[in-house]
Amino acid sequence: MKSETFTARAGAVGSAKAAEEFFCQINWAVSWTAGDPIDVTHSTTAWCDPAKAPRIGGEVDSLLIDEDDNLLSMGTATMNPVDPTPTVATATESVARPQTLHVRSELSLTILDPGEVWKVAPEGCTGISSIYLQCSLDWADFSV
């Protein structure tokens, strides 16, 4: 499993007060069966610290992409703002060997607390100074 932990910040619109920091983590994982064709299972997990983060809702997608940038399969999960457990999107696709693939994690996250906006987010994300954060993160290639 590969992961990236980042410090995000949210704060009040137009406020000079320092934005509150909170930790978020995005993980991706992949596994496959033996033989040819093989079943490749991929997932993306997203989590933000519920003790410090504002209420966040949205969608998490895990996409399996081939070396020609074609989408092979996609799993989707909805982030529940009242459930502090990680949100996991997963899917399985049968593919022929050999291939080079990668997982793309896409997130659409919305701050639900009135007056709060995203102040800091990781590279690959857009939406600073708004309540909507859009991320598209391509992870390292792997061969099967």
Side-chain angles (χ1 to χ4, degrees):
M1 175 169 41
K2 303 289 184 181
S3 71
E4 179 174 324
T5 301
F6 62 93
T7 301
R9 287 191 185 117
V13 177
S15 173
K17 179 183 149 203
E20 293 288 325
E21 288 188 348
F22 57 94
F23 290 99
C24 292
Q25 187 169 40
I26 302 168
N27 299 322
W28 70 276
V30 65
S31 63
W32 54 88
T33 59
D36 189 11
I38 60 171
D39 289 335
V40 177
T41 300
H42 58 96
S43 65
T44 294
T45 303
W47 176 84
C48 290
D49 179 4
K52 294 187 177 184
R55 290 178 308 126
I56 299 170
E59 188 172 280
V60 177
D61 298 323
S62 182
L63 293 76
L64 184 64
I65 309 291
D66 71 10
E67 58 195 327
D68 296 319
D69 210 33
N70 296 312
L71 175 64
L72 301 179
S73 67
M74 182 172 97
T76 299
T78 301
M79 185 175 273
N80 182 340
V82 296
D83 182 356
T85 60
T87 301
V88 182
T90 189
T92 300
E93 180 68 19
S94 183
V95 300
R97 288 182 120 153
Q99 279 200 62
T100 299
L101 307 168
H102 71 271
V103 173
R104 179 176 297 149
S105 299
E106 294 188 349
L107 298 92
S108 299
L109 305 178
T110 303
I111 294 179
L112 302 174
D113 291 343
E116 296 282 315
V117 295
W118 291 98
K119 298 283 189 171
V120 174
E123 187 175 330
C125 298
T126 60
I128 300 304
S129 298
S130 80
I131 63 170
Y132 304 108
L133 189 69
Q134 298 287 323
C135 301
S136 184
L137 308 169
D138 283 307
W139 304 100
D141 290 345
F142 61 93
S143 296
V144 293

